Amino acid sequence: MLPPEKQTSWYMLEKARCFACMIDFPKEKGGRPTKTKHYITIHDQGGKFEFDYDDGRHMVLGMRNTWSLGMQRDTFVIFIQETDEKGPTLIYSWGEPDADRIGFNPGWIRVQCDLNTPKNVAFQKGLRPDS
């Protein structure tokens, strides 16, 4: 066996895709999430965005395109966890690995992510012109 300094590791690198996302919160307590609080970009190979919800909880939005053991196939996943990426999962959604958009709306937050193109970014900004 080779000594540690002579050993090499092999990695399969996938090309990350960048997504433009809008994160909407309710305008008023108990209302529908219709006010965009964050416009962000995030990549699908483990990208994350940390933010604070209106009630003060710290959360992280994550995205990955990975093998799903439960589904036995490649899966595109988006999720929100409380506190950090080791905290409890509050919501998640999944789709085809080559999907060009993904999102969720459980009623207390709305996340829409589209492949990051000038057209998609302009479309998002047009959805919430007052945000």
Side-chain angles (χ1 to χ4, degrees):
M1 181 164 182
L2 293 172
E5 66 273 4
K6 299 272 186 179
Q7 293 179 12
T8 59
S9 297
W10 293 94
Y11 297 96
M12 175 65 79
L13 297 177
E14 305 263 343
K15 183 177 179 183
R17 297 179 304 150
C18 191
F19 284 78
C21 302
M22 51 194 296
I23 303 172
D24 299 346
F25 290 8
K27 287 185 179 181
E28 66 278 332
K29 188 173 179 154
R32 292 178 40 230
T34 59
K35 171 98 176 139
T36 301
K37 289 283 231 177
H38 304 285
Y39 288 99
I40 65 160
T41 56
I42 186 172
H43 64 83
D44 68 348
Q45 298 295 318
K48 69 177 185 173
F49 174 73
E50 295 187 33
F51 63 96
D52 292 323
Y53 193 67
D54 281 347
D55 62 8
R57 289 181 293 166
H58 190 73
M59 299 181 180
V60 61
L61 170 71
M63 183 180 284
R64 66 179 181 265
N65 214 335
T66 187
W67 177 257
S68 171
L69 292 174
M71 291 188 231
Q72 298 298 306
R73 60 183 173 189
D74 288 334
T75 307
F76 183 26
V77 181
I78 186 171
F79 55 89
I80 291 181
Q81 290 176 274
E82 193 168 357
T83 309
D84 58 28
E85 59 267 32
K86 293 181 181 172
T89 300
L90 301 175
I91 185 163
Y92 69 95
S93 181
W94 67 91
E96 290 291 325
D98 59 349
D100 63 357
R101 67 181 154 251
I102 194 168
F104 47 71
N105 182 354
W108 57 273
I109 193 169
R110 179 184 175 275
V111 176
Q112 174 179 325
C113 297
D114 298 285
L115 201 57
N116 189 12
T117 67
K119 181 179 176 182
N120 286 341
V121 169
F123 173 74
Q124 286 183 0
K125 299 278 184 179
L127 288 174
R128 305 278 191 265
D130 61 335
S131 294

